[in-house]
Every structure is written in C-alpha cells, then in structure tokens.
Amino acid sequence: MLYVQRTTGDAHLSLSGRTLVVTPDDGGARRERKLADADEVTRVLAEDFALRLPEGARLPA
C-alpha cells in the first residue's frame, strides 16, 4: 500500500492508497478526497509531494 506524507509551509499532506488528506496549519478545515485512478495518484505525487516515479514504474490500479 502506498503511504506518503509531506509538511509544507502551510499544511500537512498525506496520501494513503488513493486518499489524499490536506490539513492546514492554521486550524482550517481538513480536506479529504479520493483520487480517481493511478494516473491521478502519479500526478499528485509529482505536483504535491515532489516525487517522480522511475521510468516504467506503475502503481496498482
């Protein structure tokens, strides 16, 4: 199972499987959403977590 976390300047991000949770540091409302598919997970890993999968790597569906 995929599990990653990251703390940014204004929030804590966690991705567990296909569930993305964003918890703002300012006490704002926690946001949770289910990512649609492996392509969206790959995009979120790259854009929000600064992680790029190796060429040819595939995530479970």
Side-chain angles (χ1 to χ4, degrees), residues 7-34:
T7 300
T8 66
D10 59 353
H12 176 80
L13 309 173
S14 67
L15 179 62
S16 180
R18 290 189 341 194
T19 303
L20 176 65
V21 177
V22 179
T23 307
D25 287 342
D26 65 3
R30 176 181 182 260
R31 298 182 317 266
E32 182 175 323
R33 72 180 177 102
K34 187 81 158 183

